[in-house]
Amino acid sequence: MSDHEYTPSSKVGKWFNDRLPLLTLANHLTDYPTPKNLNYWWTFGGILTFCLITQIVTGLTLAMHYIAHADMAFESVEHIMRDVNYGWLIRYIHANGASMFFLAVYIHIFRSLFYGSYKSPREIIWIIGIIIYLLMMAAAFMGYVLPWGQMSFWGATVITNLFSAIPLVGEGIVTWLWGGYSVDNPTLTRFFTLHYLIPFLILGLVVLHIWALHVPGNNNPVGIDIKKPSKDTVPFHPYIVIKDGFALLMFMIVFAFFVFYSPNILGHADNYIEANPMVTPAHIVPEWYLLPFYAILRSVPDKLLGVVAMLSAILILAVLPWLDTSKIRSAVFRPLYKQFYWILVADVLILGYMGAMPAEGLYLLIARVATAYYFLHFLVILPVLGFKEKTLPIPLSITEPVLGGSPNLATAKHKEDIVK
Amino acid sequence: MKNLIKLLSVLAFISLAVTTSSNSAETTKLLKTDWSFKGLFGKFDRGALQRGYQVYTEVCASCHSMKYVSYRNLGEKGGPEFSEAEVKAIAASFELTDGPNADGEMFTRPAKPSDKFVMPYENVKAAQAANGGAYPPDMSVLVKARGGGVDYIYSLLQGYEDAPSGITLDEGVYYNKYMYGNKIKMAAPLSDDLIEYGDGTNATVEQMSKDVTTFLMWAAEPHLESRHQMGFKAIIYLIILTVLVYFSMKKIWSRVESEV
Amino acid sequence: MSDKKPKRREFLFTASYAVGAVGVGAVTWPLIDQMNPDASVKALASTEVDVSSVKPGNTITVLWRGKPVFIRRRTQEEISEARSVKMEDLIHPEKDEDRAKNPEWLVMLGVCTHLGCVPLNDKGDYDGWFCPCHGSHYDTSGRIRKGPAPLNMEVPKYEFVNANTIKIG
């Protein structure tokens, strides 16, 4: 995107900006032309930035009191909850913040799926996003290990054992990950180190994600390119800032309800029992945001293939821009895709539910069907749909839907005539 | 606005789905009672906390430790709120091992308010040895460590029954209809008039169960009251700011919409 | 109508900013306060020390709130030396009678008031303490006499529980 030349008005500003163009950057960010028809689903980028910063700030303060040692971790968490000034508040924000982060990221991802934001020319933004998502899962998993409760310990045991599925070197890798012959103190300290590191990697990737976004600019609900910036876009500040702010505040109300009134509802009771390597809890379940993948893992009756299926379920997203062959971005103009989209949403919710249930009987059967459908959607339905689907005519410019609500054929045609 | 409603309903749906799925797997229906600490303004019943402490020390504490709670907590705001003198007297009634002193020897002394609750056993192994191999779990965060929370503990304490025919119990194992698997190694700890309440309350099993469960809830969540109070203020604040920002947003966007 | 509009707009924005700023401030406080001493640290108020084995002219050092406390059983010469000093010779004038209620026992934080090092016993030009870090000299009452330290070594709150036991704090 070509930035118009910007010169600071003050002399000092100009002096500074000539040496480090921070003011040019700030100017670019505030003036960044944003499609004016973005709906509230587009506010989750800002919400996610808030989540990341909240997690980093609360995490830093918790790290000032937490002790990463197998004998003291659980106790130090209780110390934070009881004695540290506002420790309970900071920990509950951090713990629930992880869930809120994933809630927001799922909405963000599904928004992209609906409006085709991953398609050309935004593939790199999308792939960076998938890497961020993977890192988020790693950070969340390791963070959950830190309180050293029963779920921490057994979750760590089960997830690290996934690597033992790798032929030949699997066992060696697991021992290396543990730093011993079981999950123990060396595992805890390295998980703490990585849990501390990953958010900063995410932060760096977020910068790249936004940078890559600012090259082509935002996608929008009708999925067509900006024709006339002066008509179709508004400057990021104040229009989008205030809208994002409003959505963020509503998000914070939901967040606050969890923190203040149900702080433990998203966690598992067993994690308030100190880790015990001799006893495994009756039901081992990951946190809710990992459940769909957990269901996929369990629905494959082979150890290695289960792991492969689970990883593929995530990695398949990275090649999505090439699996989806349709030239039309927004599902608004793709009547068939729209239906398959909602089926996929339902499929993922079903997988999530099955992940929480015991892997037996009917549950297992449903999980298998849902797993098969998940891959079917990406590997078969999407590529075929691009060729077969009869899409609706798309409007000429995005000013249309802002005016008339839903785009319709007649006005689009009419406009085309006028332009001609 | 339509989108807004959609967004809110999706948020509500997801949080509901998440909450219900994480709360599943309840088999026997638990006993319910009116907990004073539930709800937006929930507070502990001071009397119940003080009585609950009495049940804990006179009944539970002989086997169950509470190692993350200190005597000073008993006098803190939002807890049983014993007076400073009472807390000192309570602490002084326990002896603990301290040291080493200048001669390198361990010695016993009365506990101080700053000390953690004295544990009934030296360590987990000693506790297991004294209880037929079953470790009486530490009670500091017990209500948060059990699926049904307070309702589960409250029910369990009242759930002792004769085993139904067909179920044989080993020596030292009891039948409890709320226990996971129904077999519990703790004998029914409460019976009517087992203790004499200082405030003259009638010490029925139900009353003692409720009091001690309230006390355990406080022990697990000592900041519950300030959490509820702060939460209410935070949410009211957020709603006010949301409304202000909403109208600011309308104002700002009206420039664009009117111009088009 | 059009005249009133800008006013309402301005009020709305100002109110939003003001309310938002209050919130940011309210959120910042817990993040700052979490670094203050926590409830368990504050609860550790006092230490009791058995001083029956300390001979005249000897000092013992005990730890209180993470800092060394010097407990010195002073000899008669030390006491008279400390009590004969003229107030105008002192950098930080304090009477020895106020610092050591029981003249035989001097109880003070063994922390140099310059930059927090622990001074050495029986050293320096005034028969008291000498701080090796930056050369502050203290007399037999722990008062600063020479060097960069601005104040006398601090006397904490303490009391004799009985003839042999001192309770600090």
Side-chain angles (χ1 to χ4, degrees):
Chain A
M1 156 173 359
S2 61
D3 271 287
H4 58 93
E5 273 312 305
Y6 164 77
T7 1
S9 48
S10 76
K11 248 188 164 172
V12 181
K14 193 178 173 324
W15 180 89
F16 182 86
N17 203 50
D18 286 344
R19 283 149 185 84
L20 179 67
L22 267 187
L23 294 170
T24 303
L25 177 68
N27 180 261
H28 161 77
L29 291 176
T30 51
D31 283 359
Y32 171 66
T34 319
K36 63 163 74 157
N37 61 335
L38 295 188
N39 56 34
Y40 282 103
W41 300 111
W42 257 266
T43 59
F44 281 85
I47 287 171
L48 283 162
T49 313
F50 163 80
C51 287
L52 178 62
I53 292 168
T54 305
Q55 290 307 86
I56 289 180
V57 170
T58 52
L60 280 175
T61 48
L62 287 173
M64 294 180 187
H65 305 280
Y66 171 75
I67 302 169
H69 188 286
D71 295 340
M72 283 177 278
F74 192 87
E75 189 181 343
S76 72
V77 171
E78 277 308 309
H79 170 67
I80 290 169
M81 292 295 291
R82 287 160 196 278
D83 292 335
V84 172
N85 304 320
Y86 298 103
W88 61 269
L89 175 64
I90 297 169
R91 175 170 177 251
Y92 277 154
I93 291 176
H94 195 72
N96 287 284
S99 282
M100 300 312 289
F101 205 156
F102 274 95
L103 177 65
V105 93
Y106 282 127
I107 294 175
H108 194 61
I109 291 172
F110 275 99
R111 189 269 293 155
S112 181
L113 290 178
F114 188 84
Y115 294 111
S117 303
Y118 49 86
K119 291 186 196 182
S120 171
R122 298 185 180 82
E123 300 94 325
I124 298 292
I125 312 174
W126 171 257
I127 290 170
I128 293 172
I130 297 298
I131 300 172
I132 293 174
Y133 175 51
L134 274 172
L135 285 175
M136 276 174 66
M137 289 204 251
F141 159 66
M142 292 190 209
Y144 197 58
V145 173
L146 303 184
W148 210 241
Q150 275 287 69
M151 277 292 160
S152 303
F153 184 88
W154 292 100
T157 302
V158 169
I159 300 294
T160 47
N161 263 318
L162 290 178
F163 291 91
S164 71
I166 304 168
L168 300 174
V169 291
E171 290 294 334
I173 289 179
V174 174
T175 312
W176 173 75
L177 282 175
W178 288 341
Y181 300 103
S182 65
V183 172
D184 206 339
N185 197 49
T187 327
L188 176 60
T189 48
R190 66 192 58 181
F191 275 22
F192 178 57
T193 311
L194 295 172
H195 181 72
Y196 204 119
L197 169 72
I198 290 173
F200 296 99
L201 298 181
I202 294 177
L203 189 63
L205 285 166
V206 166
V207 172
L208 296 183
H209 193 65
I210 295 172
W211 186 0
L213 168 71
H214 280 224
V215 176
N218 286 70
N219 183 27
N220 62 77
V222 289
I224 58 171
D225 293 334
I226 306 275
K227 300 278 158 50
K228 269 204 199 135
S230 60
K231 271 206 131 178
D232 294 347
T233 69
V234 288
F236 190 77
H237 180 79
Y239 297 97
I240 304 300
V241 169
I242 189 93
K243 195 168 174 179
D244 278 3
F246 171 63
L248 173 62
L249 282 165
M250 295 211 294
F251 182 81
M252 285 167 81
I253 292 173
V254 178
F255 196 159
F257 261 103
F258 278 110
V259 168
F260 292 108
Y261 292 106
S262 295
N264 292 307
I265 202 148
L266 298 168
H268 197 288
D270 279 338
N271 224 27
Y272 277 106
I273 303 173
E274 201 171 349
N276 180 355
M278 316 264 270
V279 185
T280 307
H283 298 287
I284 300 200
V285 269
E287 293 288 79
W288 67 268
Y289 39 81
L290 302 176
L291 286 174
F293 300 105
Y294 191 60
I296 291 175
L297 170 77
R298 295 193 309 183
S299 65
V300 181
D302 179 86
K303 187 171 175 180
L304 176 61
L305 291 181
V307 177
V308 169
M310 183 179 74
L311 286 177
S312 314
I314 305 166
L315 295 178
I316 204 168
L317 294 172
V319 289
L320 175 62
W322 296 278
L323 289 173
D324 186 347
T325 51
S326 176
K327 291 279 171 281
I328 306 294
R329 292 197 191 104
S330 174
V332 173
F333 307 105
R334 299 182 63 191
L336 273 178
Y337 172 72
K338 203 184 205 169
Q339 290 176 27
F340 283 112
Y341 170 85
W342 288 112
I343 295 173
L344 179 74
V345 172
D347 187 61
V348 171
L349 289 177
I350 288 168
L351 277 172
Y353 186 74
M354 293 308 143
M357 293 295 117
E360 56 199 27
L362 190 61
Y363 293 133
L364 191 57
L365 184 72
I366 296 174
R368 285 185 176 155
V369 173
T371 300
Y373 183 80
Y374 181 90
F375 287 103
L376 190 76
H377 175 90
F378 288 106
L379 294 175
V380 181
I381 295 174
L382 278 189
V384 172
L385 216 52
F387 298 112
K388 298 278 176 199
E389 188 176 29
K390 223 170 119 63
T391 55
L392 301 178
I394 54 171
L396 267 185
S397 90
I398 67 172
T399 318
E400 215 69 36
V402 170
L403 272 180
S406 66
N408 80 47
L409 183 60
T411 47
K413 275 263 171 72
H414 181 62
K415 273 244 165 166
E416 210 169 349
D417 292 338
I418 294 169
V419 173
K420 274 176 187 169
Chain B
M1 208 58 205
K2 234 181 173 179
N3 278 321
L4 198 68
I5 292 164
K6 256 196 212 164
L7 180 73
L8 279 180
S9 51
V10 167
L11 276 179
F13 170 76
I14 293 177
S15 36
L16 197 79
V18 164
T19 10
T20 46
S21 71
S22 59
N23 252 2
S24 55
E26 287 293 324
T27 42
T28 325
K29 228 175 153 22
L30 297 175
L31 298 174
K32 301 271 172 195
T33 185
D34 52 326
W35 299 110
S36 64
F37 48 81
K38 294 251 156 128
L40 244 53
F41 304 102
K43 280 185 173 187
F44 290 115
D45 171 354
R46 233 44 80 191
L49 280 182
Q50 298 201 355
R51 289 192 300 274
Y53 170 70
Q54 196 186 340
V55 179
Y56 168 73
T57 22
E58 291 183 21
V59 184
C60 322
S62 54
C63 300
H64 291 274
S65 60
M66 204 177 246
K67 59 184 173 183
Y68 301 124
V69 182
S70 304
Y71 294 109
R72 66 184 158 82
N73 296 142
L74 294 170
E76 282 166 7
K77 212 173 159 289
E81 296 186 5
F82 285 110
S83 70
E84 207 184 319
E86 283 171 314
V87 171
K88 276 190 178 155
I90 287 171
S93 67
F94 295 91
E95 289 243 306
L96 55 80
T97 311
D98 197 355
N101 62 14
D103 300 324
E105 276 157 21
M106 304 303 278
F107 57 93
T108 56
R109 62 162 174 85
K112 289 183 285 194
S114 60
D115 288 314
K116 295 264 158 70
F117 276 22
V118 174
M119 297 205 276
Y121 303 104
E122 289 272 308
N123 49 53
V124 174
K125 286 265 185 278
Q128 282 173 332
N131 289 282
Y135 168 60
D138 184 84
M139 284 185 159
S140 315
V141 284
L142 192 68
V143 293
K144 290 200 282 188
R146 293 294 178 270
V150 279
D151 292 331
Y152 172 75
I153 304 287
Y154 177 71
S155 304
L156 184 95
L157 287 169
Q158 300 174 66
Y160 284 87
E161 278 177 358
D162 291 329
S165 55
I167 293 183
T168 43
L169 297 172
D170 294 336
E171 177 76 26
V173 176
Y174 307 88
Y175 186 85
N176 189 307
K177 64 175 168 179
Y178 300 108
M179 179 77 183
Y180 183 71
N182 296 124
K183 288 178 185 176
I184 185 167
K185 285 202 169 181
M186 172 173 75
L190 301 175
S191 56
D192 286 340
D193 297 316
L194 178 70
I195 64 170
E196 198 176 315
Y197 274 136
D199 64 359
T201 306
N202 200 2
T204 60
V205 169
E206 194 187 337
Q207 181 69 41
M208 287 187 284
S209 302
K210 190 172 175 182
D211 291 343
V212 79
T213 308
T214 305
F215 176 72
L216 290 178
M217 182 67 199
W218 166 77
E221 277 287 302
H223 298 293
L224 178 136
E225 287 188 12
S226 37
R227 172 154 62 75
H228 284 178
Q229 283 160 11
M230 196 189 287
F232 184 72
K233 283 184 216 156
I235 286 166
I236 291 290
Y237 165 82
L238 283 172
I239 289 172
I240 292 172
L241 186 58
T242 309
V243 169
L244 281 173
V245 168
Y246 176 77
F247 285 110
S248 300
M249 180 177 73
K250 285 281 137 192
K251 276 280 157 202
I252 289 174
W253 276 83
S254 68
R255 296 175 203 164
V256 182
E257 272 144 24
S258 59
E259 166 189 306
V260 174
Chain C
M1 197 56 205
S2 55
D3 289 344
K4 274 186 179 174
K5 252 190 172 173
K7 259 192 178 168
R8 196 180 137 204
R9 183 179 297 184
E10 236 166 66
F11 167 75
L12 252 178
F13 296 162
T14 318
S16 305
Y17 275 124
V19 175
V22 169
V24 171
V27 169
T28 314
W29 173 243
L31 297 172
I32 295 170
D33 193 36
Q34 55 88 20
M35 282 168 71
N36 276 319
D38 65 48
S40 62
V41 171
K42 283 189 219 150
L44 291 176
S46 58
T47 312
E48 288 188 6
V49 187
D50 179 8
V51 293
S52 55
S53 57
V54 183
K55 293 191 181 68
N58 281 349
T59 305
I60 58 165
T61 309
V62 295
L63 209 61
W64 175 67
R65 285 184 173 178
K67 285 179 186 162
V69 174
F70 293 153
I71 301 177
R72 183 170 179 89
R73 187 166 184 180
R74 299 191 292 187
T75 58
Q76 212 48 55
E77 302 92 81
E78 286 171 350
I79 298 169
S80 44
E81 191 183 332
R83 304 218 153 170
S84 62
V85 177
K86 288 192 206 109
M87 281 300 118
E88 51 267 34
D89 294 342
L90 294 173
I91 298 169
H92 174 201
E94 264 185 321
K95 279 191 187 151
D96 185 63
E97 287 84 345
D98 295 333
R99 291 175 57 82
K101 296 265 158 57
N102 178 347
E104 203 182 353
W105 293 97
L106 176 66
V107 179
M108 62 184 181
L109 288 183
V111 176
C112 179
T113 56
H114 181 218
L115 292 170
C117 297
V118 178
L120 302 169
N121 210 359
D122 296 325
K123 286 266 164 62
D125 301 350
Y126 296 88
D127 308 321
W129 286 266
F130 171 70
C131 182
C133 290
H134 306 95
S136 293
H137 300 256
Y138 295 88
D139 66 12
T140 55
S141 185
R143 292 173 296 201
I144 180 65
R145 302 299 292 272
K146 202 167 95 181
L151 298 172
N152 303 334
M153 281 193 263
E154 189 188 335
V155 177
K157 195 179 143 227
Y158 69 91
E159 59 179 3
F160 278 87
V161 183
N162 53 50
N164 289 330
T165 313
I166 298 177
K167 185 177 158 198
I168 305 167

